[in-house]
Amino acid sequence: MLRKDVFIIHKITLTLAAFTLTASLLSACNQETAVPATPTPAPANTPASSKQDATAAEQTAATAPSTDEMDWSQIKDPLIDKAMKAKLKAAIDAIVAKDVDQFHEAIGQDLGTAHDYLLNNTMKFTHLDTAYEERGRILVPAAGEMQLPGDQEVNESSYTFYFEKDQQGDWQIVSID
């Protein structure tokens, strides 16, 4: 009789261990965020031209009227510096305006046309969610309302802008998801 009790306890222990392992694996899968592959970096710009690009983006962001509904002066996230905010605003303005040339200028030529599909939808950005750091990148979720072509329904949506430091140490948009 004692041997049968030990067998039952052993079986229960193994079952609980299997459930715990399965739950842990499923939990880990749900928490992991997919990160798009990083494009192969193009030859590095000189530090002077990189600084000029950041300054030009800041000036454009400061002088151009916003085509979204965000109050950019109220965005004070500690992970988003002034140059990142300017690049983000320029990219968002281009998406809202559906302007391919402006979009390519805002995200940089290194990304090419891989993200042009974002211009197909009607997107109205309303706010930025809290930025966070992941694997050396800064991820900035920009939320709002999207309307797909030919659809009358407007849905809540967001695009996540991935920033990564280039060889000069400046934050650049490397992907949009």
Side-chain angles (χ1 to χ4, degrees), residues 11-22:
K11 191 173 183 178
I12 291 171
T13 304
L14 287 175
T15 303
L16 288 174
F19 281 131
T20 303
L21 178 63
T22 302

Side-chain angles (χ1 to χ4, degrees), residues 76-142:
K76 305 210 184 308
D77 192 311
L79 291 178
I80 303 173
D81 66 22
K82 191 176 181 180
M84 289 170 71
K85 189 189 309 186
K87 291 174 186 175
L88 188 60
K89 182 181 182 318
I92 286 174
D93 284 347
I95 291 170
V96 171
K98 298 183 178 189
D99 185 326
V100 175
D101 294 331
Q102 180 183 350
F103 184 60
H104 289 172
E105 184 178 324
I107 63 173
Q109 298 304 320
D110 294 345
L111 291 182
T113 61
H115 294 85
D116 287 358
Y117 71 93
L118 297 173
L119 305 178
N120 295 337
N121 305 319
T122 300
M123 184 71 179
K124 177 174 69 173
F125 292 92
T126 57
H127 65 281
L128 294 183
D129 288 329
T130 304
Y132 56 98
E133 187 172 356
E134 182 181 273
R135 298 181 186 149
R137 294 178 171 180
I138 302 294
L139 282 65
V140 183

Side-chain angles (χ1 to χ4, degrees), residues 10-94:
H10 182 64
K11 191 173 183 178
I12 291 171
T13 304
L14 287 175
T15 303
L16 288 174
F19 281 131
T20 303
L21 178 63
T22 302
S24 297
L25 290 173
L26 289 173
S27 176
C29 290
N30 287 339
Q31 291 178 359
E32 187 172 322
T33 303
V35 177
T38 304
T40 306
N45 294 335
T46 61
S49 69
S50 179
K51 297 292 184 198
Q52 288 171 349
D53 291 344
T55 302
E58 288 173 22
Q59 289 172 348
T60 301
T63 58
S66 178
T67 57
D68 55 54
E69 293 189 2
M70 288 195 274
D71 184 354
W72 289 92
S73 66
Q74 295 300 312
I75 297 171
K76 305 210 184 308
D77 192 311
L79 291 178
I80 303 173
D81 66 22
K82 191 176 181 180
M84 289 170 71
K85 189 189 309 186
K87 291 174 186 175
L88 188 60
K89 182 181 182 318
I92 286 174
D93 284 347

Side-chain angles (χ1 to χ4, degrees), residues 148-165:
L148 299 174
D151 195 353
Q152 298 300 320
E153 189 174 334
V154 177
N155 298 303
E156 288 184 22
S157 186
S158 68
Y159 292 157
T160 301
F161 292 81
Y162 292 74
F163 284 86
E164 193 172 89
K165 285 192 175 183

